[in-house]
Amino acid sequence: MRGRRMKLRDTPSVSPALWRALPCPAAELRLELVLPSGQTFRWRESSPGAWTGVLGDTVWTLRQERDRLWYTVYGGEAGADTDRLLREYFQLDVGLRDLYRSWGAADPLFREAAKDFPGVRVLRQDPVECLLSFICTSNNHISRITAMIERLCRAFGRHLCHLDAQPFHAFPSLAALAGDDAEARLRALGFGYRAKFVSGTARAITEGLGVEGLHQLRTAPYAEARKVLCTLPGVGTKVADCVCLMALDKAEAVPVDTHVWRIARQRYGMELGGRSITPRAHQEIGDFFRGLWGPRAGWAQAVLFCADLHKGREPVVSQDRDKES
């Protein structure tokens, strides 16, 4: 595949870099399971087995072939820096096969559910993009969230390029989403009550924590990082745990929504009072799975979520009712 170029239409000034490859067995990563599973909403299958999306301020196409992760970038050069970015994004330094064996040895239910779903790993995303994206997930489905994030980026983000007449945009800056008219524009784009949370959190970070402070939560203890996130508009414990897990290096964070709550009750026999996710139930479920699966419990939960996603109907990604008003 090295040297192959992707065909572009209507974009004479934009061309792909040469294809490069990283060693990556399917047991360590399967793009078709990870990219559309509700961790991120910026990738689409542009042709069979090829995934195109935005990472950072660059448009990429990824595909897997013969234990290699192949990629090309548009409007730039692929090299050692892009290798590093991709390795960090997929956290390829984490040995997934050993983790699967460890989780399966501790939990026969995990072993059975995960046998047909190898290569599901947790992404390491930009904290700002991850946070604002997951605010949009409350009581929502993956396909609808993906469409919302696309509208968000087109309306507020910087245009990067067109590929086959498809426009690609960077994720919006905090300044763009904190503007005086941002909430009204988001409502016009169909964000509903989430509009005030997206613009409000963008404003709160700009005026308080700051982008640097948000990034510094990667070195803070898990409980502290979650507590800080929950002070932001529209951020409940579920969204906070998603951000902790997928952007802030808290591998022990177990996001609990109605989907995971049901798994805990029906498959693992947890006695949880009521029919909704209380803060106590959220903590109990997280502690149970951390005790069962260990320090990367959030990664194991991502495998079960992905398995259920592919075996049943598309689940609601988040349900943080305490933050909807």
Side-chain angles (χ1 to χ4, degrees), residues 208-245:
L209 185 64
V211 174
E212 183 178 350
L214 184 61
H215 278 259
Q216 286 175 350
L217 292 178
R218 284 177 166 170
T219 62
Y222 164 48
E224 178 183 333
R226 185 168 70 167
K227 183 178 180 180
V228 171
L229 291 173
C230 285
T231 65
L232 298 170
V235 180
T237 50
K238 163 59 166 54
V239 170
D241 271 342
C242 287
V243 179
C244 282
L245 175 64

PDB file of all heavy atoms in Angstrom, residues 208-245:
ATOM      1  N   GLY A 208     -12.444  30.301  33.760  1.00  0.00           N
ATOM      2  CA  GLY A 208     -12.013  29.723  35.024  1.00  0.00           C
ATOM      3  C   GLY A 208     -10.845  28.772  34.893  1.00  0.00           C
ATOM      4  O   GLY A 208      -9.678  29.176  34.932  1.00  0.00           O
ATOM      5  N   LEU A 209     -11.149  27.501  34.719  1.00  0.00           N
ATOM      6  CA  LEU A 209     -10.136  26.441  34.700  1.00  0.00           C
ATOM      7  C   LEU A 209      -9.087  26.647  33.627  1.00  0.00           C
ATOM      8  O   LEU A 209      -7.894  26.432  33.849  1.00  0.00           O
ATOM      9  CB  LEU A 209     -10.851  25.092  34.511  1.00  0.00           C
ATOM     10  CG  LEU A 209     -10.026  23.820  34.566  1.00  0.00           C
ATOM     11  CD1 LEU A 209      -9.411  23.633  35.942  1.00  0.00           C
ATOM     12  CD2 LEU A 209     -10.902  22.615  34.218  1.00  0.00           C
ATOM     13  N   GLY A 210      -9.524  27.071  32.451  1.00  0.00           N
ATOM     14  CA  GLY A 210      -8.601  27.252  31.334  1.00  0.00           C
ATOM     15  C   GLY A 210      -8.264  25.932  30.669  1.00  0.00           C
ATOM     16  O   GLY A 210      -8.383  24.863  31.270  1.00  0.00           O
ATOM     17  N   VAL A 211      -7.847  26.003  29.411  1.00  0.00           N
ATOM     18  CA  VAL A 211      -7.477  24.791  28.684  1.00  0.00           C
ATOM     19  C   VAL A 211      -6.321  24.084  29.382  1.00  0.00           C
ATOM     20  O   VAL A 211      -6.314  22.851  29.522  1.00  0.00           O
ATOM     21  CB  VAL A 211      -7.108  25.127  27.228  1.00  0.00           C
ATOM     22  CG1 VAL A 211      -6.586  23.888  26.512  1.00  0.00           C
ATOM     23  CG2 VAL A 211      -8.310  25.690  26.485  1.00  0.00           C
ATOM     24  N   GLU A 212      -5.344  24.849  29.834  1.00  0.00           N
ATOM     25  CA  GLU A 212      -4.194  24.243  30.512  1.00  0.00           C
ATOM     26  C   GLU A 212      -4.628  23.529  31.784  1.00  0.00           C
ATOM     27  O   GLU A 212      -4.169  22.415  32.079  1.00  0.00           O
ATOM     28  CB  GLU A 212      -3.155  25.314  30.841  1.00  0.00           C
ATOM     29  CG  GLU A 212      -1.894  24.751  31.485  1.00  0.00           C
ATOM     30  CD  GLU A 212      -0.845  25.817  31.766  1.00  0.00           C
ATOM     31  OE1 GLU A 212      -1.020  26.960  31.285  1.00  0.00           O
ATOM     32  OE2 GLU A 212       0.143  25.498  32.450  1.00  0.00           O
ATOM     33  N   GLY A 213      -5.541  24.153  32.531  1.00  0.00           N
ATOM     34  CA  GLY A 213      -6.023  23.516  33.745  1.00  0.00           C
ATOM     35  C   GLY A 213      -6.777  22.233  33.466  1.00  0.00           C
ATOM     36  O   GLY A 213      -6.675  21.257  34.226  1.00  0.00           O
ATOM     37  N   LEU A 214      -7.546  22.212  32.374  1.00  0.00           N
ATOM     38  CA  LEU A 214      -8.262  20.996  31.990  1.00  0.00           C
ATOM     39  C   LEU A 214      -7.266  19.886  31.655  1.00  0.00           C
ATOM     40  O   LEU A 214      -7.424  18.739  32.102  1.00  0.00           O
ATOM     41  CB  LEU A 214      -9.179  21.282  30.802  1.00  0.00           C
ATOM     42  CG  LEU A 214     -10.074  20.143  30.329  1.00  0.00           C
ATOM     43  CD1 LEU A 214     -11.029  19.697  31.421  1.00  0.00           C
ATOM     44  CD2 LEU A 214     -10.864  20.570  29.092  1.00  0.00           C
ATOM     45  N   HIS A 215      -6.227  20.217  30.912  1.00  0.00           N
ATOM     46  CA  HIS A 215      -5.215  19.223  30.568  1.00  0.00           C
ATOM     47  C   HIS A 215      -4.475  18.740  31.817  1.00  0.00           C
ATOM     48  O   HIS A 215      -4.087  17.563  31.908  1.00  0.00           O
ATOM     49  CB  HIS A 215      -4.224  19.798  29.561  1.00  0.00           C
ATOM     50  CG  HIS A 215      -4.710  19.756  28.145  1.00  0.00           C
ATOM     51  ND1 HIS A 215      -4.300  18.810  27.237  1.00  0.00           N
ATOM     52  CD2 HIS A 215      -5.589  20.552  27.475  1.00  0.00           C
ATOM     53  CE1 HIS A 215      -4.901  19.005  26.072  1.00  0.00           C
ATOM     54  NE2 HIS A 215      -5.685  20.067  26.191  1.00  0.00           N
ATOM     55  N   GLN A 216      -4.276  19.620  32.781  1.00  0.00           N
ATOM     56  CA  GLN A 216      -3.545  19.236  33.994  1.00  0.00           C
ATOM     57  C   GLN A 216      -4.315  18.233  34.852  1.00  0.00           C
ATOM     58  O   GLN A 216      -3.721  17.580  35.715  1.00  0.00           O
ATOM     59  CB  GLN A 216      -3.204  20.480  34.819  1.00  0.00           C
ATOM     60  CG  GLN A 216      -2.087  21.317  34.211  1.00  0.00           C
ATOM     61  CD  GLN A 216      -1.829  22.610  34.967  1.00  0.00           C
ATOM     62  OE1 GLN A 216      -2.601  22.995  35.857  1.00  0.00           O
ATOM     63  NE2 GLN A 216      -0.753  23.283  34.637  1.00  0.00           N
ATOM     64  N   LEU A 217      -5.614  18.089  34.601  1.00  0.00           N
ATOM     65  CA  LEU A 217      -6.375  17.077  35.329  1.00  0.00           C
ATOM     66  C   LEU A 217      -5.895  15.676  35.003  1.00  0.00           C
ATOM     67  O   LEU A 217      -6.217  14.719  35.723  1.00  0.00           O
ATOM     68  CB  LEU A 217      -7.869  17.211  35.020  1.00  0.00           C
ATOM     69  CG  LEU A 217      -8.569  18.468  35.543  1.00  0.00           C
ATOM     70  CD1 LEU A 217     -10.035  18.473  35.120  1.00  0.00           C
ATOM     71  CD2 LEU A 217      -8.455  18.546  37.067  1.00  0.00           C
ATOM     72  N   ARG A 218      -5.115  15.530  33.944  1.00  0.00           N
ATOM     73  CA  ARG A 218      -4.542  14.211  33.631  1.00  0.00           C
ATOM     74  C   ARG A 218      -3.615  13.730  34.748  1.00  0.00           C
ATOM     75  O   ARG A 218      -3.446  12.518  34.934  1.00  0.00           O
ATOM     76  CB  ARG A 218      -3.773  14.276  32.304  1.00  0.00           C
ATOM     77  CG  ARG A 218      -4.677  14.304  31.084  1.00  0.00           C
ATOM     78  CD  ARG A 218      -3.904  14.447  29.789  1.00  0.00           C
ATOM     79  NE  ARG A 218      -4.762  14.149  28.626  1.00  0.00           N
ATOM     80  CZ  ARG A 218      -4.428  14.369  27.375  1.00  0.00           C
ATOM     81  NH1 ARG A 218      -3.246  14.918  27.079  1.00  0.00           N
ATOM     82  NH2 ARG A 218      -5.266  14.059  26.395  1.00  0.00           N
ATOM     83  N   THR A 219      -3.019  14.627  35.475  1.00  0.00           N
ATOM     84  CA  THR A 219      -2.107  14.238  36.555  1.00  0.00           C
ATOM     85  C   THR A 219      -2.778  14.265  37.919  1.00  0.00           C
ATOM     86  O   THR A 219      -2.149  13.907  38.913  1.00  0.00           O
ATOM     87  CB  THR A 219      -0.880  15.169  36.580  1.00  0.00           C
ATOM     88  OG1 THR A 219      -1.296  16.521  36.833  1.00  0.00           O
ATOM     89  CG2 THR A 219      -0.127  15.110  35.256  1.00  0.00           C
ATOM     90  N   ALA A 220      -4.030  14.683  37.988  1.00  0.00           N
ATOM     91  CA  ALA A 220      -4.758  14.732  39.255  1.00  0.00           C
ATOM     92  C   ALA A 220      -5.344  13.356  39.576  1.00  0.00           C
ATOM     93  O   ALA A 220      -5.574  12.550  38.676  1.00  0.00           O
ATOM     94  CB  ALA A 220      -5.881  15.769  39.179  1.00  0.00           C
ATOM     95  N   PRO A 221      -5.594  13.073  40.857  1.00  0.00           N
ATOM     96  CA  PRO A 221      -6.276  11.821  41.201  1.00  0.00           C
ATOM     97  C   PRO A 221      -7.649  11.752  40.536  1.00  0.00           C
ATOM     98  O   PRO A 221      -8.291  12.784  40.289  1.00  0.00           O
ATOM     99  CB  PRO A 221      -6.398  11.892  42.729  1.00  0.00           C
ATOM    100  CG  PRO A 221      -5.324  12.835  43.154  1.00  0.00           C
ATOM    101  CD  PRO A 221      -5.207  13.838  42.053  1.00  0.00           C
ATOM    102  N   TYR A 222      -8.094  10.547  40.269  1.00  0.00           N
ATOM    103  CA  TYR A 222      -9.366  10.321  39.583  1.00  0.00           C
ATOM    104  C   TYR A 222     -10.522  11.046  40.264  1.00  0.00           C
ATOM    105  O   TYR A 222     -11.294  11.769  39.612  1.00  0.00           O
ATOM    106  CB  TYR A 222      -9.616   8.820  39.498  1.00  0.00           C
ATOM    107  CG  TYR A 222     -11.031   8.405  39.176  1.00  0.00           C
ATOM    108  CD1 TYR A 222     -11.748   8.978  38.129  1.00  0.00           C
ATOM    109  CD2 TYR A 222     -11.647   7.393  39.920  1.00  0.00           C
ATOM    110  CE1 TYR A 222     -13.042   8.576  37.831  1.00  0.00           C
ATOM    111  CE2 TYR A 222     -12.934   6.980  39.618  1.00  0.00           C
ATOM    112  CZ  TYR A 222     -13.632   7.577  38.588  1.00  0.00           C
ATOM    113  OH  TYR A 222     -14.909   7.172  38.304  1.00  0.00           O
ATOM    114  N   ALA A 223     -10.661  10.888  41.582  1.00  0.00           N
ATOM    115  CA  ALA A 223     -11.795  11.491  42.295  1.00  0.00           C
ATOM    116  C   ALA A 223     -11.764  13.012  42.182  1.00  0.00           C
ATOM    117  O   ALA A 223     -12.819  13.655  42.042  1.00  0.00           O
ATOM    118  CB  ALA A 223     -11.786  11.065  43.759  1.00  0.00           C
ATOM    119  N   GLU A 224     -10.581  13.579  42.223  1.00  0.00           N
ATOM    120  CA  GLU A 224     -10.460  15.039  42.118  1.00  0.00           C
ATOM    121  C   GLU A 224     -10.841  15.519  40.724  1.00  0.00           C
ATOM    122  O   GLU A 224     -11.566  16.508  40.563  1.00  0.00           O
ATOM    123  CB  GLU A 224      -9.029  15.470  42.444  1.00  0.00           C
ATOM    124  CG  GLU A 224      -8.787  16.969  42.327  1.00  0.00           C
ATOM    125  CD  GLU A 224      -7.351  17.353  42.576  1.00  0.00           C
ATOM    126  OE1 GLU A 224      -6.655  16.611  43.308  1.00  0.00           O
ATOM    127  OE2 GLU A 224      -6.907  18.396  42.039  1.00  0.00           O
ATOM    128  N   ALA A 225     -10.353  14.829  39.697  1.00  0.00           N
ATOM    129  CA  ALA A 225     -10.674  15.217  38.322  1.00  0.00           C
ATOM    130  C   ALA A 225     -12.177  15.137  38.079  1.00  0.00           C
ATOM    131  O   ALA A 225     -12.767  16.045  37.480  1.00  0.00           O
ATOM    132  CB  ALA A 225      -9.932  14.312  37.340  1.00  0.00           C
ATOM    133  N   ARG A 226     -12.813  14.082  38.548  1.00  0.00           N
ATOM    134  CA  ARG A 226     -14.256  13.941  38.349  1.00  0.00           C
ATOM    135  C   ARG A 226     -15.018  15.038  39.079  1.00  0.00           C
ATOM    136  O   ARG A 226     -15.993  15.595  38.551  1.00  0.00           O
ATOM    137  CB  ARG A 226     -14.733  12.565  38.823  1.00  0.00           C
ATOM    138  CG  ARG A 226     -16.199  12.326  38.537  1.00  0.00           C
ATOM    139  CD  ARG A 226     -16.605  10.892  38.719  1.00  0.00           C
ATOM    140  NE  ARG A 226     -16.605  10.480  40.113  1.00  0.00           N
ATOM    141  CZ  ARG A 226     -17.158   9.347  40.543  1.00  0.00           C
ATOM    142  NH1 ARG A 226     -17.700   8.499  39.685  1.00  0.00           N
ATOM    143  NH2 ARG A 226     -17.126   9.029  41.816  1.00  0.00           N
ATOM    144  N   LYS A 227     -14.572  15.381  40.278  1.00  0.00           N
ATOM    145  CA  LYS A 227     -15.238  16.434  41.052  1.00  0.00           C
ATOM    146  C   LYS A 227     -15.158  17.775  40.335  1.00  0.00           C
ATOM    147  O   LYS A 227     -16.148  18.520  40.259  1.00  0.00           O
ATOM    148  CB  LYS A 227     -14.592  16.539  42.434  1.00  0.00           C
ATOM    149  CG  LYS A 227     -15.251  17.559  43.356  1.00  0.00           C
ATOM    150  CD  LYS A 227     -14.590  17.560  44.723  1.00  0.00           C
ATOM    151  CE  LYS A 227     -15.245  18.588  45.647  1.00  0.00           C
ATOM    152  NZ  LYS A 227     -14.607  18.592  46.994  1.00  0.00           N
ATOM    153  N   VAL A 228     -13.997  18.087  39.770  1.00  0.00           N
ATOM    154  CA  VAL A 228     -13.835  19.346  39.034  1.00  0.00           C
ATOM    155  C   VAL A 228     -14.743  19.369  37.811  1.00  0.00           C
ATOM    156  O   VAL A 228     -15.429  20.366  37.544  1.00  0.00           O
ATOM    157  CB  VAL A 228     -12.362  19.547  38.622  1.00  0.00           C
ATOM    158  CG1 VAL A 228     -12.234  20.737  37.668  1.00  0.00           C
ATOM    159  CG2 VAL A 228     -11.491  19.764  39.848  1.00  0.00           C
ATOM    160  N   LEU A 229     -14.772  18.280  37.065  1.00  0.00           N
ATOM    161  CA  LEU A 229     -15.603  18.228  35.863  1.00  0.00           C
ATOM    162  C   LEU A 229     -17.083  18.406  36.192  1.00  0.00           C
ATOM    163  O   LEU A 229     -17.825  19.052  35.438  1.00  0.00           O
ATOM    164  CB  LEU A 229     -15.385  16.905  35.131  1.00  0.00           C
ATOM    165  CG  LEU A 229     -14.018  16.701  34.477  1.00  0.00           C
ATOM    166  CD1 LEU A 229     -13.895  15.278  33.947  1.00  0.00           C
ATOM    167  CD2 LEU A 229     -13.777  17.715  33.370  1.00  0.00           C
ATOM    168  N   CYS A 230     -17.522  17.860  37.316  1.00  0.00           N
ATOM    169  CA  CYS A 230     -18.942  17.915  37.676  1.00  0.00           C
ATOM    170  C   CYS A 230     -19.393  19.313  38.094  1.00  0.00           C
ATOM    171  O   CYS A 230     -20.598  19.539  38.288  1.00  0.00           O
ATOM    172  CB  CYS A 230     -19.251  16.906  38.779  1.00  0.00           C
ATOM    173  SG  CYS A 230     -19.309  15.189  38.202  1.00  0.00           S
ATOM    174  N   THR A 231     -18.469  20.250  38.233  1.00  0.00           N
ATOM    175  CA  THR A 231     -18.859  21.631  38.506  1.00  0.00           C
ATOM    176  C   THR A 231     -19.235  22.380  37.230  1.00  0.00           C
ATOM    177  O   THR A 231     -19.767  23.492  37.294  1.00  0.00           O
ATOM    178  CB  THR A 231     -17.717  22.403  39.204  1.00  0.00           C
ATOM    179  OG1 THR A 231     -16.596  22.517  38.313  1.00  0.00           O
ATOM    180  CG2 THR A 231     -17.276  21.701  40.481  1.00  0.00           C
ATOM    181  N   LEU A 232     -18.985  21.787  36.079  1.00  0.00           N
ATOM    182  CA  LEU A 232     -19.232  22.454  34.805  1.00  0.00           C
ATOM    183  C   LEU A 232     -20.676  22.247  34.356  1.00  0.00           C
ATOM    184  O   LEU A 232     -21.279  21.214  34.644  1.00  0.00           O
ATOM    185  CB  LEU A 232     -18.275  21.923  33.741  1.00  0.00           C
ATOM    186  CG  LEU A 232     -16.786  22.161  34.015  1.00  0.00           C
ATOM    187  CD1 LEU A 232     -15.935  21.375  33.024  1.00  0.00           C
ATOM    188  CD2 LEU A 232     -16.450  23.645  33.948  1.00  0.00           C
ATOM    189  N   PRO A 233     -21.250  23.204  33.640  1.00  0.00           N
ATOM    190  CA  PRO A 233     -22.637  23.082  33.184  1.00  0.00           C
ATOM    191  C   PRO A 233     -22.851  21.849  32.321  1.00  0.00           C
ATOM    192  O   PRO A 233     -22.091  21.587  31.382  1.00  0.00           O
ATOM    193  CB  PRO A 233     -22.858  24.369  32.371  1.00  0.00           C
ATOM    194  CG  PRO A 233     -21.864  25.341  32.910  1.00  0.00           C
ATOM    195  CD  PRO A 233     -20.662  24.518  33.282  1.00  0.00           C
ATOM    196  N   GLY A 234     -23.876  21.075  32.650  1.00  0.00           N
ATOM    197  CA  GLY A 234     -24.230  19.922  31.840  1.00  0.00           C
ATOM    198  C   GLY A 234     -23.401  18.685  32.079  1.00  0.00           C
ATOM    199  O   GLY A 234     -23.567  17.684  31.379  1.00  0.00           O
ATOM    200  N   VAL A 235     -22.502  18.713  33.057  1.00  0.00           N
ATOM    201  CA  VAL A 235     -21.622  17.572  33.313  1.00  0.00           C
ATOM    202  C   VAL A 235     -22.050  16.866  34.592  1.00  0.00           C
ATOM    203  O   VAL A 235     -21.899  17.393  35.692  1.00  0.00           O
ATOM    204  CB  VAL A 235     -20.143  18.002  33.410  1.00  0.00           C
ATOM    205  CG1 VAL A 235     -19.258  16.771  33.677  1.00  0.00           C
ATOM    206  CG2 VAL A 235     -19.715  18.710  32.139  1.00  0.00           C
ATOM    207  N   GLY A 236     -22.626  15.675  34.431  1.00  0.00           N
ATOM    208  CA  GLY A 236     -22.934  14.805  35.557  1.00  0.00           C
ATOM    209  C   GLY A 236     -21.869  13.742  35.693  1.00  0.00           C
ATOM    210  O   GLY A 236     -20.841  13.750  34.997  1.00  0.00           O
ATOM    211  N   THR A 237     -22.106  12.782  36.566  1.00  0.00           N
ATOM    212  CA  THR A 237     -21.085  11.776  36.840  1.00  0.00           C
ATOM    213  C   THR A 237     -20.777  10.915  35.620  1.00  0.00           C
ATOM    214  O   THR A 237     -19.624  10.523  35.408  1.00  0.00           O
ATOM    215  CB  THR A 237     -21.524  10.880  38.006  1.00  0.00           C
ATOM    216  OG1 THR A 237     -22.859  10.414  37.767  1.00  0.00           O
ATOM    217  CG2 THR A 237     -21.495  11.639  39.318  1.00  0.00           C
ATOM    218  N   LYS A 238     -21.777  10.612  34.803  1.00  0.00           N
ATOM    219  CA  LYS A 238     -21.537   9.776  33.621  1.00  0.00           C
ATOM    220  C   LYS A 238     -20.635  10.486  32.617  1.00  0.00           C
ATOM    221  O   LYS A 238     -19.647   9.927  32.132  1.00  0.00           O
ATOM    222  CB  LYS A 238     -22.872   9.392  32.968  1.00  0.00           C
ATOM    223  CG  LYS A 238     -22.794   8.875  31.537  1.00  0.00           C
ATOM    224  CD  LYS A 238     -21.934   7.629  31.394  1.00  0.00           C
ATOM    225  CE  LYS A 238     -22.141   6.944  30.043  1.00  0.00           C
ATOM    226  NZ  LYS A 238     -21.949   7.825  28.896  1.00  0.00           N
ATOM    227  N   VAL A 239     -20.969  11.725  32.279  1.00  0.00           N
ATOM    228  CA  VAL A 239     -20.142  12.475  31.334  1.00  0.00           C
ATOM    229  C   VAL A 239     -18.746  12.683  31.911  1.00  0.00           C
ATOM    230  O   VAL A 239     -17.740  12.532  31.204  1.00  0.00           O
ATOM    231  CB  VAL A 239     -20.797  13.827  30.987  1.00  0.00           C
ATOM    232  CG1 VAL A 239     -19.841  14.711  30.209  1.00  0.00           C
ATOM    233  CG2 VAL A 239     -22.072  13.595  30.183  1.00  0.00           C
ATOM    234  N   ALA A 240     -18.662  12.999  33.201  1.00  0.00           N
ATOM    235  CA  ALA A 240     -17.355  13.197  33.835  1.00  0.00           C
ATOM    236  C   ALA A 240     -16.509  11.938  33.738  1.00  0.00           C
ATOM    237  O   ALA A 240     -15.305  11.999  33.445  1.00  0.00           O
ATOM    238  CB  ALA A 240     -17.534  13.608  35.290  1.00  0.00           C
ATOM    239  N   ASP A 241     -17.123  10.775  33.961  1.00  0.00           N
ATOM    240  CA  ASP A 241     -16.361   9.531  33.880  1.00  0.00           C
ATOM    241  C   ASP A 241     -15.926   9.233  32.448  1.00  0.00           C
ATOM    242  O   ASP A 241     -14.848   8.689  32.224  1.00  0.00           O
ATOM    243  CB  ASP A 241     -17.186   8.370  34.432  1.00  0.00           C
ATOM    244  CG  ASP A 241     -16.990   8.193  35.936  1.00  0.00           C
ATOM    245  OD1 ASP A 241     -15.992   8.718  36.473  1.00  0.00           O
ATOM    246  OD2 ASP A 241     -17.829   7.530  36.577  1.00  0.00           O
ATOM    247  N   CYS A 242     -16.767   9.547  31.463  1.00  0.00           N
ATOM    248  CA  CYS A 242     -16.358   9.380  30.069  1.00  0.00           C
ATOM    249  C   CYS A 242     -15.116  10.207  29.765  1.00  0.00           C
ATOM    250  O   CYS A 242     -14.164   9.727  29.133  1.00  0.00           O
ATOM    251  CB  CYS A 242     -17.494   9.770  29.129  1.00  0.00           C
ATOM    252  SG  CYS A 242     -18.855   8.597  29.050  1.00  0.00           S
ATOM    253  N   VAL A 243     -15.109  11.452  30.210  1.00  0.00           N
ATOM    254  CA  VAL A 243     -13.975  12.332  29.955  1.00  0.00           C
ATOM    255  C   VAL A 243     -12.751  11.855  30.723  1.00  0.00           C
ATOM    256  O   VAL A 243     -11.624  11.856  30.198  1.00  0.00           O
ATOM    257  CB  VAL A 243     -14.326  13.785  30.310  1.00  0.00           C
ATOM    258  CG1 VAL A 243     -13.136  14.706  30.074  1.00  0.00           C
ATOM    259  CG2 VAL A 243     -15.529  14.254  29.494  1.00  0.00           C
ATOM    260  N   CYS A 244     -12.951  11.446  31.974  1.00  0.00           N
ATOM    261  CA  CYS A 244     -11.837  10.915  32.760  1.00  0.00           C
ATOM    262  C   CYS A 244     -11.194   9.725  32.066  1.00  0.00           C
ATOM    263  O   CYS A 244      -9.965   9.614  31.980  1.00  0.00           O
ATOM    264  CB  CYS A 244     -12.317  10.506  34.155  1.00  0.00           C
ATOM    265  SG  CYS A 244     -12.546  11.883  35.308  1.00  0.00           S
ATOM    266  N   LEU A 245     -12.021   8.826  31.551  1.00  0.00           N
ATOM    267  CA  LEU A 245     -11.523   7.606  30.918  1.00  0.00           C
ATOM    268  C   LEU A 245     -10.897   7.876  29.569  1.00  0.00           C
ATOM    269  O   LEU A 245      -9.803   7.371  29.268  1.00  0.00           O
ATOM    270  CB  LEU A 245     -12.676   6.609  30.772  1.00  0.00           C
ATOM    271  CG  LEU A 245     -12.370   5.305  30.027  1.00  0.00           C
ATOM    272  CD1 LEU A 245     -11.337   4.480  30.776  1.00  0.00           C
ATOM    273  CD2 LEU A 245     -13.658   4.502  29.806  1.00  0.00           C
TER     274      LEU A 245
END
